Amino acid sequence: MAILGTLLKKGIMVRESLEQLYTSPLDLQKQELRNLLIHCQSTKFGEAHAFDEILTSFKGDKDQFYQSFKSQVPVFDYEKIFDEWWHLAKEGQKDVCYPGKIKYFALSSGTSGAPSKYIPITRDMVKSIRKTSMRQILTMSKYDLPASLFSKGILMLGGSTDLKKSGHYFEGDLSGITAAQIPFWFQHFYKPGKRIAKTKNWNDKLEEIVKKAPDWDIGIIVGVPAWLQIMMEKIIEQHQLKTIHDIWPNLQIFVHGGVSFEPYKRGFERLLARPLYYMETYLASEGFIAFQAYPNRKSMRLVLNNGIFYEFVPFIERNFDEDGKMKPDAETIKIDEVQENKEYALLITTNAGAWRYMIGDVIKFTSVEESEIVITGRTKMFMSLCGEHLSLDNMNKAIELVEDEMKIDIREFTLLGERADSLFAHHWYIGTDDSVDNNQLKERIDHHLMSLNDDYKVERSSALKELIVSVFPSNVFYQWMESQGKVGSQNKFPRVLKKEKAQLWKNFLAEQNLQAS
């Protein structure tokens, strides 16, 4: 890692980064799709969908390969691809959607639906994740960092590396699967270390980390904001510190992903003696999709040449129904057809056997030329009871503005849609440990949403009759997650709760006899 620090100061770039820098996005993506089709031509999926015919189309006109791919391979959501294909790999069959047997399945956090999802992880996918991780590390040459930082520990707060053996395969969090296979040269720097990383119980793991914290010299922390904040609070309390820098003076970087950091930022920074560099990643269970390449940008660079082919579905009513489900005749486009500042749902084809797979995320291009994106929401995690079209991006921004305005720390929040007589209501559940005036909180959330979203503003004067705000201690949200088996690691509290999930939340509050303040 000391050598890595020297390379960073010299601005060294790996071949894949240079290739993306000097090649058109379409050429890179066309090559990725061709490679995936060739590699998977003899799989059951490849034979069923005439990959050999698709491959001949690559000799044709510019768009012929894509038209052939679309005509031969249907779009899949999780239920469709699992029921038709992935369950065969889970049962131990080989060469289903990708050559060989699938030895690992990542359990997704399942924020959009009730059960966890089983996502296949191949050796090629793990290699791709490592390569992209190295590319992100090397972008740190653009930051004002001392070479000595890269001799410090890297604390990765992830899932257990003690994976569950289930017949023909192992299952666990993606973070646990990848951490269990870290290169030998990285093990010296990796914290909390192999022994603690194997701990299955989240609370036990947290206690072990808190206990060992003084023994480590941490320079970089990696994980989901909510759980890292809880960890740091416990370390500060246990060791009677003022800030986390009292115990980790060399801490300079926080690598985060999976959820918008902005609503957490105010509370997070209370635990620091000085600012950190925040680096965002887009690492999903289905692959490493993008990472923040520049310190002065909030966007991330889409990775175009490392095992994933992308398609984009304009996130508009013509393509999606009111529940966020893609319509059968929805328009799909490739990377050379996207436009800046328009929302797209992502379809991905990967080197783990996902084919035209609806990942569920909605993104927006901030720069088409540089393939820079931001995540704006989820296809199913939005609220539109009566045409208000409230996005996750709107919600996060409104909460961020309210925090800054009222000088409070909102640790968690979620939104439910309800009836209000013959009309509709939004019910916000807010998790904060600060004293707050409910009426003022309600008024400011409403005010900022009307400023951010014209459709919301219109509906607030007609069909959207009520805005209800219930405030609970933040721990209530984590208790509910624990009751759902979603505590710790990569799990995030859903920002929108619908149908069964909404009822489970209400039942939990009633059973615990919890009263909103």
Side-chain angles (χ1 to χ4, degrees):
M1 288 290 276
I3 295 173
L4 180 58
T6 303
L7 294 176
L8 284 163
K9 298 308 287 186
K10 292 182 178 180
I12 299 297
M13 296 178 72
V14 295
R15 180 186 61 81
E16 289 84 3
S17 293
L18 291 168
E19 185 180 62
Q20 181 159 336
L21 183 63
Y22 298 121
T23 311
S24 77
L26 179 61
D27 286 343
L28 288 172
Q29 282 285 275
K30 188 174 181 179
Q31 182 64 40
E32 285 303 311
L33 181 58
R34 182 192 292 115
N35 290 342
L36 288 166
L37 290 166
I38 290 171
H39 193 60
C40 299
Q41 188 174 2
S42 298
T43 63
K44 294 179 177 68
F45 190 94
E47 291 174 348
H49 294 93
F51 279 12
D52 54 342
E53 292 181 21
I54 301 173
L55 283 163
T56 61
S57 69
F58 278 77
K59 297 178 180 179
D61 295 336
K62 176 183 175 183
D63 291 336
Q64 190 174 336
F65 81 96
Y66 185 53
Q67 297 306 319
S68 178
F69 181 57
K70 287 202 297 185
S71 66
Q72 296 285 4
V73 182
V75 170
F76 291 91
D77 59 13
Y78 173 76
E79 287 74 20
K80 179 177 172 63
I81 200 168
F82 185 86
D83 290 346
E84 294 182 17
W85 297 99
W86 286 355
H87 78 95
L88 300 173
K90 191 166 175 280
E91 291 164 6
Q93 292 190 33
K94 65 178 183 178
D95 303 329
V96 178
C97 289
Y98 203 77
K101 285 190 176 183
I102 303 296
K103 295 183 179 180
Y104 299 95
F105 282 85
L107 298 179
S108 78
S109 58
T111 53
S112 297
S116 290
K117 299 175 181 178
Y118 287 81
I119 310 296
I121 304 296
T122 62
R123 182 177 297 179
D124 287 343
M125 174 60 75
V126 173
K127 288 180 180 177
S128 291
I129 290 172
R130 287 182 187 170
K131 284 184 179 180
T132 301
S133 298
M134 182 57 67
R135 287 167 71 170
Q136 182 175 30
I137 287 172
L138 290 175
T139 64
M140 292 182 188
S141 63
K142 301 180 180 70
Y143 294 69
D144 184 21
L145 297 168
S148 61
L149 174 67
F150 301 97
S151 63
K152 309 303 179 185
I154 301 177
L155 176 59
M156 303 172 69
L157 194 62
S160 173
T161 58
D162 187 13
L163 305 173
K164 180 182 177 182
K165 183 75 160 64
S166 298
H168 304 279
Y169 63 90
F170 293 90
E171 64 182 54
D173 284 347
L174 176 66
S175 59
I177 293 171
T178 54
Q181 302 179 57
I182 59 173
F184 74 92
W185 59 266
F186 185 72
Q187 293 175 11
H188 173 72
F189 306 95
Y190 167 64
K191 308 299 178 187
K194 283 188 171 182
R195 183 184 63 81
I196 297 176
K198 279 189 172 183
T199 306
K200 287 185 178 294
N201 182 278
W202 162 250
N203 291 318
D204 291 345
K205 177 184 287 187
L206 199 56
E207 291 304 316
E208 289 269 16
I209 291 171
V210 171
K211 182 180 177 182
K212 292 286 291 182
D215 299 338
W216 302 330
D217 184 7
I218 301 296
I220 301 172
I221 53 175
V222 182
V224 173
W227 303 113
L228 273 169
Q229 186 170 343
I230 289 172
M231 177 201 74
M232 292 195 301
E233 287 172 343
K234 286 183 173 292
I235 291 172
I236 289 169
E237 180 184 9
Q238 174 73 25
H239 300 287
Q240 299 182 339
L241 312 171
K242 289 184 178 179
T243 73
I244 198 67
H245 279 114
D246 293 340
I247 202 166
W248 294 334
N250 293 302
L251 177 61
Q252 296 191 55
I253 295 175
F254 172 31
V255 182
H256 64 89
V259 66
S260 172
F261 177 59
E262 295 306 319
Y264 295 96
K265 191 173 182 180
R266 184 178 183 84
F268 197 88
E269 291 185 340
R270 289 178 180 177
L271 308 176
L272 309 174
R274 55 187 173 276
L276 301 180
Y277 285 110
Y278 300 115
M279 300 183 68
E280 187 171 7
T281 63
Y282 186 0
L283 174 55
S285 297
E286 295 83 359
F288 204 151
I289 293 170
F291 60 84
Q292 185 176 337
Y294 292 95
N296 58 344
R297 298 183 188 176
K298 290 189 176 181
S299 55
M300 295 177 286
R301 177 156 297 170
L302 208 59
V303 180
L304 301 176
N305 56 341
N306 198 16
I308 303 178
F309 176 75
Y310 306 95
E311 298 172 76
F312 307 90
V313 190
F315 193 55
I316 54 178
E317 287 185 9
R318 191 177 79 77
N319 292 330
F320 291 86
D321 64 21
E322 63 275 8
D323 292 321
K325 190 174 180 65
M326 185 174 165
K327 295 178 181 178
D329 60 346
E331 175 193 19
T332 68
I333 60 177
K334 56 190 187 309
I335 187 111
D336 62 324
E337 300 171 282
V338 299
Q339 299 178 44
E340 290 177 8
N341 298 315
K342 290 192 175 182
E343 290 191 317
Y344 299 98
L346 269 183
L347 293 178
I348 61 172
T349 293
T350 77
N351 57 3
W355 294 95
R356 307 199 74 205
Y357 178 79
M358 174 61 68
I359 193 172
D361 291 326
V362 178
I363 60 99
K364 180 168 62 178
F365 281 83
T366 59
S367 171
V368 169
E369 183 180 359
E370 297 188 75
S371 302
E372 293 272 336
I373 65 165
V374 292
I375 302 171
T376 60
R378 299 273 296 170
T379 55
K380 296 184 179 180
M381 201 173 287
F382 68 99
M383 185 63 70
S384 192
L385 299 176
C386 50
E388 68 272 33
H389 302 122
L390 201 63
S391 71
L392 184 57
D393 196 39
N394 294 153
M395 301 173 209
N396 283 326
K397 187 63 179 177
I399 292 298
E400 178 191 352
L401 291 169
V402 166
E403 286 182 299
D404 289 342
E405 193 173 48
M406 298 182 65
K407 309 301 181 190
I408 59 172
D409 174 19
I410 296 176
R411 298 282 291 270
E412 297 292 348
F413 69 88
T414 195
L415 176 60
L416 278 66
E418 298 178 353
R419 301 289 302 191
D421 299 322
S422 61
L423 299 175
F424 301 95
H426 282 183
H427 194 154
W428 286 80
Y429 291 86
I430 303 294
T432 181
D433 300 314
D434 295 331
S435 298
V436 62
D437 182 316
N438 268 33
N439 289 329
Q440 184 187 7
L441 181 59
K442 170 183 170 180
E443 190 275 328
R444 298 320 296 165
I445 290 174
D446 199 28
H447 167 80
H448 289 304
L449 289 175
M450 285 191 283
S451 297
L452 291 164
N453 187 313
D454 289 338
D455 291 335
Y456 177 86
K457 184 176 182 179
V458 169
E459 295 304 329
R460 280 294 283 129
S461 62
S462 53
L464 190 55
K465 179 182 178 182
E466 296 286 349
L467 186 72
I468 307 163
V469 172
S470 299
V471 179
F472 292 99
S474 56
N475 194 46
V476 170
F477 290 75
Y478 304 127
Q479 289 172 358
W480 183 75
M481 290 183 72
E482 188 165 11
S483 74
Q484 299 297 303
K486 301 291 184 183
V487 67
S489 183
Q490 303 300 296
N491 297 295
K492 291 85 67 176
F493 199 99
R495 294 311 188 205
V496 176
L497 292 173
K498 298 179 181 179
K499 299 179 180 178
E500 295 88 354
K501 285 266 187 176
Q503 194 56 53
L504 285 170
W505 170 247
K506 289 182 176 180
N507 292 346
F508 171 79
L509 295 177
E511 290 166 3
Q512 301 297 315
N513 197 27
L514 292 166
Q515 300 295 320
S517 60

